């Protein structure tokens, strides 16, 4: 008899490791989720100030894909989330205080992009037809996200890896780049 451990469990354990490596991001995801859960007035504030974006996702730790989707959400809507959380009173809830503290850390933008890059590399190495389908889907989603492409370019400029601002939007200034670093 051969014992085979469930592959889904192995994927879950791998996702737990990713989450563990990015503690600041995990605190943001967890606490922003708490800010809007069961708080109709905060949900209304969110919808008023960001009517075109969905509410922050509510990942379930036992469903590993939900945390990864949440990290992608924060990459995409990071600036808006920062602005909305900043409007809230830190004394209303400890989750607001914790989220504000972690959202302003300069490592957060880099960590969010690092998560995506690591997931991309791992998916690219996936074997078989199903693995390649998953990777292609991931690539399609990322390629459609023009804001993420801009964010990656800004990160390279801030990190000193590039000085090419030709691909950035024309209305983006050097001050905007410096301002983005503070988030």
């Amino acid at each position: 008899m051969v014992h085979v451990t469930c592959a889904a469990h192995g994927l879950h354990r791998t996702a737990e490791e990713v989450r563990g490596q990015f503690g600041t991001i995990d605190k943001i995801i967890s606490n922003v989720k708490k800010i809007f859960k069961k708080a109709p007035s905060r949900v209304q504030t969110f919808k008023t100030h960001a009517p075109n974006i969905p509410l922050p996702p509510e990942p379930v730790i036992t469903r590993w894909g939900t945390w990864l989707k949440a990290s992608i959400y924060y990459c995409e809507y990071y600036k808006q989330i920062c602005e909305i959380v900043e409007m809230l009173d830190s004394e209303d809830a400890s989750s607001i205080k914790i989220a504000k503290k972690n959202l302003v850390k300069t490592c957060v933008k880099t960590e969010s992009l690092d998560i995506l890059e690591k997931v991309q590399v791992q998916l690219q190495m996936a074997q078989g037809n199903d693995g390649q389908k998953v990777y292609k889907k991931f690539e399609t989603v990322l390629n459609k996200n023009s804001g993420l492409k801009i964010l990656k370019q800004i990160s390279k400029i801030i990190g000193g890896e590039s000085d090419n601002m030709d691909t950035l939007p024309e209305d983006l200034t050097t001050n905007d780049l410096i301002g983005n670093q503070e988030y």
Side-chain angles (χ1 to χ4, degrees), residues 76-128:
E76 194 168 338
Y77 301 114
Y78 186 76
K79 185 175 181 182
Q80 295 95 324
I81 296 298
C82 287
E83 291 169 356
I84 293 166
V85 170
E86 193 55 42
M87 288 184 224
L88 304 174
D89 184 359
S90 297
E91 300 303 316
D92 281 353
S94 63
S95 56
I96 296 172
K97 187 180 289 186
I98 293 167
K100 282 184 177 185
K101 175 184 165 189
N102 287 286
L103 282 167
V104 298
K105 291 183 177 179
T106 56
C107 66
V108 171
K109 286 267 189 183
T110 305
E111 281 189 18
S112 300
L113 292 173
D114 284 349
I115 290 172
L116 281 178
E117 286 181 26
K118 287 179 180 180
V119 168
Q120 186 175 17
V121 167
Q122 292 301 311
L123 288 176
Q124 191 172 18
M125 294 187 309
Q127 300 292 313

Side-chain angles (χ1 to χ4, degrees), residues 14-161:
T14 303
E16 284 180 331
E17 180 65 23
V18 170
R19 189 171 57 98
Q21 292 296 317
F22 298 96
T24 302
I25 303 300
D26 189 42
K27 286 178 188 172
I28 291 170
I29 291 171
S30 173
N31 285 286
V32 172
K33 170 184 159 179
K34 291 175 191 174
I35 288 171
F36 297 104
K37 190 172 182 118
K38 299 179 184 175
S41 63
R42 293 187 205 135
V43 169
Q44 187 57 47
T45 298
F46 186 98
K47 289 181 177 181
T48 300
H49 294 287
N52 297 324
I53 66 172
L55 284 167
E58 297 183 11
V60 178
I61 300 306
T62 56
R63 295 186 178 150
W64 62 274
T66 61
W67 190 89
L68 294 174
K69 286 179 184 176
S71 65
I72 292 169
Y73 170 91
Y74 285 96
C75 286
E76 194 168 338
Y77 301 114
Y78 186 76
K79 185 175 181 182
Q80 295 95 324
I81 296 298
C82 287
E83 291 169 356
I84 293 166
V85 170
E86 193 55 42
M87 288 184 224
L88 304 174
D89 184 359
S90 297
E91 300 303 316
D92 281 353
S94 63
S95 56
I96 296 172
K97 187 180 289 186
I98 293 167
K100 282 184 177 185
K101 175 184 165 189
N102 287 286
L103 282 167
V104 298
K105 291 183 177 179
T106 56
C107 66
V108 171
K109 286 267 189 183
T110 305
E111 281 189 18
S112 300
L113 292 173
D114 284 349
I115 290 172
L116 281 178
E117 286 181 26
K118 287 179 180 180
V119 168
Q120 186 175 17
V121 167
Q122 292 301 311
L123 288 176
Q124 191 172 18
M125 294 187 309
Q127 300 292 313
N129 191 35
D130 291 339
Q132 287 305 302
K133 284 180 183 177
V134 171
Y135 174 69
K136 286 179 183 175
K137 177 65 175 179
F138 185 77
E139 283 291 300
T140 301
V141 169
L142 291 185
N143 288 332
K144 289 181 180 178
N145 188 339
S146 59
L148 183 60
K149 291 175 188 173
I150 293 168
L151 185 60
K152 286 181 177 182
Q153 184 62 28
I154 290 170
S155 180
K156 287 180 182 179
I157 292 168
I158 291 172
E161 296 174 41

Side-chain angles (χ1 to χ4, degrees), residues 157-174:
I157 292 168
I158 291 172
E161 296 174 41
S162 172
D163 59 0
N164 181 7
M165 292 182 56
D166 295 340
T167 59
L168 297 177
E170 290 180 22
D171 61 342
L172 197 66
T173 67
T174 306

